[in-house]
Amino acid sequence: MQIAESGGARALSTDGDLWEFQFIYANGRGGKPNGPPQRGRFIRAAHIRHRDLAQLIANPSTEDGEVDQRILDLATFLLDARLPFEAADRYEYWLLEPKNGSPLALIFSCVEASEMASFPKLTEWTALPAAVMPVETSEAERSRSYGPVNYRLERCVAERAGPKPRAQWFTRRYHESEEFPPFLVREDWDHDEHQDLCRRYLHRQAPRLLMLHGVSWENRQRMELAAKANALDVARFYALYPEVADQGVMDKIRIEARLRMAAGETAYAMGRRDGVLYQ
């Protein structure tokens, strides 16, 4: 998630194209009497595509009146901003491997150390929902009414974490020799079926995983090759890739995506293929 924030508003995007502008609704209440003031909740104000920002700034009047200055300020910043922004969520909450207490799967992350206490003490890892990212199943799996790969992997992670799962906060520093799964869940499994579920899930997620910072050249190249199967998703997220291991492979994927989009195809978006609004 890319986030540009000002004093009273913020803009968020998962692909660098469609930006959701939000306003702070009100100052938060509660918390410790002598503690810092809590920020109010955000409410959605508008969706604006990057290609429309310049026109919005040049003509800030609409049928409903003048565009709010908070939107114009953020739009002006985004127009010249270089994406992707640096990764800021250094504090990570991991489900632990019961055998040795090493990181098993990422549950949460946050930017400020003070935010850690506000997260619930969960010990469950959640896969990206099948409605957001469907993973192809085989004919044999469908004939046996197997559930989505996403949720089957979820169960595998839960079983691996054991009957008394534990989780812990870590402070990450990228480009250092730390033992963290590069793609946010362990890939070494004892059973072939579990190994296959993990591989299929991560390969389907590859266009998104390439947005991660601090990934080694070898792992990034591995996911670039896996991403070839979902060229339209690569085209959607490419602007947010911090690095590219093999530009030749990436160029071929993007050419394929352009040809397919020119033929009328659109990327998958929450169960429909209308290309209007990515969820």
Side-chain angles (χ1 to χ4, degrees):
M1 179 71 72
Q2 305 295 298
I3 303 175
E5 188 170 329
S6 63
R10 67 180 180 181
L12 306 89
S13 178
T14 57
D15 56 17
D17 175 30
L18 182 66
W19 290 87
E20 179 176 301
F21 289 77
Q22 301 176 344
F23 296 152
I24 294 179
Y25 180 73
N27 291 329
R29 295 183 178 181
K32 298 180 180 179
N34 298 323
Q38 293 188 357
R39 186 171 59 180
R41 65 185 178 90
F42 285 88
I43 59 170
R44 183 168 52 199
H47 283 103
I48 305 173
R49 292 199 178 276
H50 190 274
R51 63 175 176 264
D52 298 325
L53 293 176
Q55 182 179 353
L56 178 73
I57 296 167
N59 301 286
S61 298
T62 68
E63 295 179 356
D64 299 323
E66 293 293 317
V67 176
D68 191 288
Q69 188 61 43
R70 290 171 291 181
I71 292 180
L72 294 177
D73 290 342
L74 283 172
T76 301
F77 169 78
L78 291 173
L79 198 59
D80 297 320
R82 182 176 180 180
L83 298 177
F85 300 137
E86 286 293 324
D89 50 346
R90 294 178 54 228
Y91 303 97
E92 299 180 349
Y93 187 67
W94 285 81
L95 182 65
L96 301 180
E97 171 71 53
K99 297 178 182 178
N100 54 21
S102 61
L104 171 58
L106 180 68
I107 299 176
F108 298 129
S109 68
C110 63
V111 176
E112 303 292 341
S114 59
E115 297 174 321
M116 292 190 286
S118 66
F119 284 84
K121 302 296 183 182
L122 293 182
T123 53
E124 300 173 354
W125 175 75
T126 303
L128 196 62
V132 174
M133 188 192 73
V135 182
E136 187 175 354
T137 55
S138 67
E139 184 176 344
E141 288 173 317
R142 292 190 292 274
S143 67
R144 297 171 186 172
S145 299
Y146 283 5
V149 169
N150 315 49
Y151 307 131
R152 289 158 62 195
L153 178 61
E154 228 176 69
R155 289 195 296 270
C156 291
V157 171
E159 292 172 3
R160 181 166 175 170
K164 296 181 179 180
R166 295 181 298 118
Q168 176 184 326
W169 282 99
F170 293 87
T171 301
R172 285 285 297 273
R173 292 178 176 83
Y174 295 112
H175 304 297
E176 292 185 6
S177 56
E178 296 174 313
E179 295 299 325
F180 289 91
F183 298 116
L184 313 183
V185 63
R186 291 281 291 267
E187 298 181 58
D188 56 322
W189 294 85
D190 293 334
H191 300 290
D192 291 343
E193 180 185 355
H194 299 173
Q195 186 81 31
D196 179 63
L197 287 173
C198 185
R199 179 190 60 79
R200 290 160 64 191
Y201 175 82
L202 292 182
H203 281 195
R204 178 63 183 87
Q205 199 182 18
R208 290 173 167 84
L209 294 172
L210 289 171
M211 291 189 284
L212 291 172
H213 294 245
V215 177
S216 70
W217 188 91
E218 292 80 5
N219 283 319
R220 186 168 293 280
Q221 184 184 47
R222 175 163 62 95
M223 278 302 149
E224 287 175 359
L225 292 174
K228 291 169 65 176
N230 293 281
L232 297 181
D233 282 345
V234 171
R236 175 186 172 190
F237 298 117
Y238 179 78
L240 303 185
Y241 293 170
E243 297 176 287
V244 172
D246 192 327
Q247 192 62 57
V249 168
M250 197 56 57
D251 288 344
K252 290 179 181 177
I253 296 174
R254 296 176 68 205
I255 290 171
E256 177 189 340
R258 285 197 294 270
L259 292 173
R260 290 169 60 180
M261 286 188 287
E265 287 192 60
T266 56
Y268 182 91
M270 285 295 288
R272 64 185 195 277
R273 301 182 64 86
D274 55 15
V276 174
L277 176 63
Y278 292 118
Q279 302 289 334

